[in-house]
Amino acid sequence: MNNLIWLIRKTLLNTFRIRKNVFAYIGMPLMGVVLSFILYGHNQQSMLRLGIASSDGSDAITRDAAAFVTGLQPVKVTALNEAELRKDIAAGSLDAGLVFDKGFGESVRAGRPAGIQIMSVKGAQVTAYIKSMLNEYIANVAAIGSAAGTDDAAFKKLYDGYRDGGFKVAAERLADTSSEKNTSYQSIGFLITFMLFSAFNLTDLILKEKENRTYFRLLSSPVSAKMYVLANVIVSLAVMLIQIAITLFVMKYVFHLASGIPLVKTGTMLLMFGLTAVGLSLMIVALSKSSTSASALMNLIVTPTCLLSGCFFPMSIMPASVQKIAEFLPQHWLLDSFVKLQEGSGLGGLSLNLAILAAFAAAFALIAVYKFSRSNDTRVFT
């Protein structure tokens, strides 16, 4: 036990004696949180700027339709004449314009709506919401007009009842947390990438100490090869645990990001992924003949797989074929677990994801053990 503790202490001192390693292991994950906050932390809902021009005089139906649109959210309405409205849309000071032609109110009263225009240079992305809400409102009034026929008294009675509302709806504004959840998701994605690189850099010490003969001098002492590797694994997991704790603390208490998941659950999942990262690093070291080839193999594996699994961009923007490929990568199953927890799933619903992550860690570790045990080259680990 004393030898194991001495090995752990020696590895930690050798690693953090170099100041740039402190920044690499602790500072880089925090940089990922800052980058995610810059990219996704300011996606606020924008206000739709809408101009309304009416040539239908003081018709009550037209006036009420304009008032209905004015009450929609998030819409900022400006009353203009048609010439001013077209000029402002062309200048970009308005997102869309709504024009009521003369006779619009009468056409709706007759049950045949006509004489209304919605215009925008930005297309359906800004007019779809207004069209959807206004079409439903006008269709209801037109249906009342058709039912009343030429009986103005009946129309007025039905219309007043519809306008005043036979029932009341209580509305309450809720905070939009989608931006914070997206920022949290992407911060976790960057953290996964740095965890993989950190695990490899720490595990790569095995090859470097073999190259400078330190490893063989250690084996001539009471330190065994298994103890040496175990100490390296413990140090790797400890460093990743520190990365996870600091990153989650900064996300919650510095940037006030509400991921929607308790910190304990998030930390547990990330630590489980840490086992996979250590297993992958050991496998790469076992398959490599030198630290140079190990570094090349690590870069060849980590960067593309993190890109495909959604560590740098949301998976939803990727093609379906890429999303299928991502299912073969361990990073995908951790990020998928994170999303499911944000959607309200319990740990029981993540049994498949957790089992797959455990299977990846076991498979990588078994390959590493097999390669270590089969190697007869005295220049490499055995």
Side-chain angles (χ1 to χ4, degrees):
M1 179 59 73
N2 290 336
N3 290 335
L4 179 63
I5 296 173
W6 179 83
L7 278 172
I8 293 172
R9 183 172 176 273
K10 166 188 166 297
T11 306
L12 285 173
L13 288 176
N14 288 342
T15 301
F16 290 103
R17 183 180 298 163
I18 304 172
R19 291 184 179 180
K20 68 178 182 181
N21 285 345
V22 177
F23 175 75
Y25 291 121
I26 307 299
M28 291 303 290
L30 298 182
M31 291 294 292
V33 178
V34 174
L35 182 60
S36 299
F37 189 79
I38 293 173
L39 292 176
Y40 301 98
H42 301 285
N43 294 331
Q44 297 179 350
Q45 192 174 30
S46 59
M47 183 71 72
L48 176 63
R49 300 167 299 172
L50 178 71
I52 294 182
S54 176
S55 303
D56 203 23
S58 57
D59 185 276
I61 294 177
T62 303
R63 188 177 61 242
D64 290 345
F68 171 78
V69 174
T70 304
L72 296 175
Q73 294 294 334
V75 180
K76 181 182 179 182
V77 172
T78 304
L80 302 166
N81 62 47
E82 186 171 348
E84 292 173 334
L85 185 147
R86 292 180 181 277
K87 180 180 177 182
D88 285 354
I89 291 178
S93 55
L94 288 177
D95 297 313
L98 179 62
V99 178
F100 294 107
D101 295 334
K102 184 174 179 55
F104 166 76
E106 291 182 2
S107 69
V108 175
R109 164 66 184 85
R112 297 184 297 276
I116 184 171
Q117 305 174 55
I118 298 179
M119 57 188 73
S120 172
V121 295
K122 298 181 180 178
Q125 61 177 330
V126 297
T127 60
Y129 172 63
I130 297 295
K131 278 184 178 180
S132 173
M133 300 301 293
L134 191 57
N135 284 344
E136 182 176 354
Y137 174 84
I138 293 174
N140 290 338
V141 178
I144 292 173
S146 296
T150 57
D151 188 344
D152 289 337
F155 174 80
K156 185 176 185 308
K157 182 179 179 180
L158 291 171
Y159 181 65
D160 288 345
Y162 171 72
R163 187 175 56 186
D164 295 339
F167 57 90
K168 300 293 182 183
V169 177
E172 184 174 348
R173 184 181 293 274
L174 300 176
D176 182 6
T177 60
S178 59
S179 176
E180 293 183 37
K181 289 182 177 178
N182 289 337
T183 306
S184 302
Y185 170 91
Q186 220 54 65
S187 298
I188 296 298
F190 285 121
L191 176 60
I192 289 172
T193 305
F194 293 124
M195 284 174 64
L196 286 168
F197 279 112
S198 298
F200 168 73
N201 288 332
L202 290 166
T203 309
D204 189 47
L205 291 174
I206 297 174
L207 284 175
K208 289 179 178 174
E209 292 199 337
K210 286 169 59 181
E211 291 172 350
N212 62 24
R213 318 306 290 178
T214 302
Y215 168 74
F216 297 105
R217 289 196 292 273
L218 285 172
L219 290 193
S220 64
S221 68
V223 174
S224 66
K226 291 180 181 177
M227 184 182 296
Y228 179 82
V229 174
L230 178 61
N232 188 280
V233 170
I234 292 174
V235 170
S236 298
L237 290 175
V239 170
M240 283 190 284
L241 182 60
I242 294 172
Q243 288 179 325
I244 293 168
I246 293 178
T247 302
L248 294 182
F249 177 85
V250 170
M251 285 171 58
K252 184 173 180 62
Y253 296 105
V254 177
F255 290 96
H256 303 289
L257 296 175
S259 65
I261 308 174
L263 291 182
V264 174
K265 286 185 179 178
T266 307
T268 302
M269 288 194 309
L270 286 168
L271 193 57
M272 188 164 183
F273 178 80
L275 293 173
T276 305
V278 171
L280 176 63
S281 303
L282 286 173
M283 184 186 75
I284 291 173
V285 168
L287 294 173
S288 304
K289 296 294 185 183
S290 67
S291 58
T292 303
S293 62
S295 297
L297 187 57
M298 186 68 183
N299 289 324
L300 190 64
I301 292 175
V302 173
T303 303
T305 55
C306 286
L307 181 64
L308 291 174
S309 56
C311 291
F312 304 142
F313 308 99
M315 279 298 297
S316 56
I317 68 172
M318 298 185 183
S321 57
V322 175
Q323 295 184 24
K324 288 291 183 185
I325 295 173
E327 293 180 0
F328 294 94
L329 305 173
Q331 298 99 312
H332 162 78
W333 292 102
L334 176 62
L335 291 172
D336 185 63
S337 302
F338 189 79
V339 171
K340 286 181 177 177
L341 286 175
Q342 284 186 326
E343 294 172 348
S345 177
L347 286 177
L350 301 177
S351 55
L352 176 63
N353 295 40
L354 298 177
I356 291 174
L357 280 176
F360 271 115
F364 293 148
L366 288 173
I367 293 173
V369 169
Y370 175 78
K371 287 297 296 179
F372 282 147
S373 64
R374 299 286 294 178
S375 175
N376 294 320
D377 190 344
T378 57
R379 294 171 302 172
V380 297
F381 175 75
T382 48

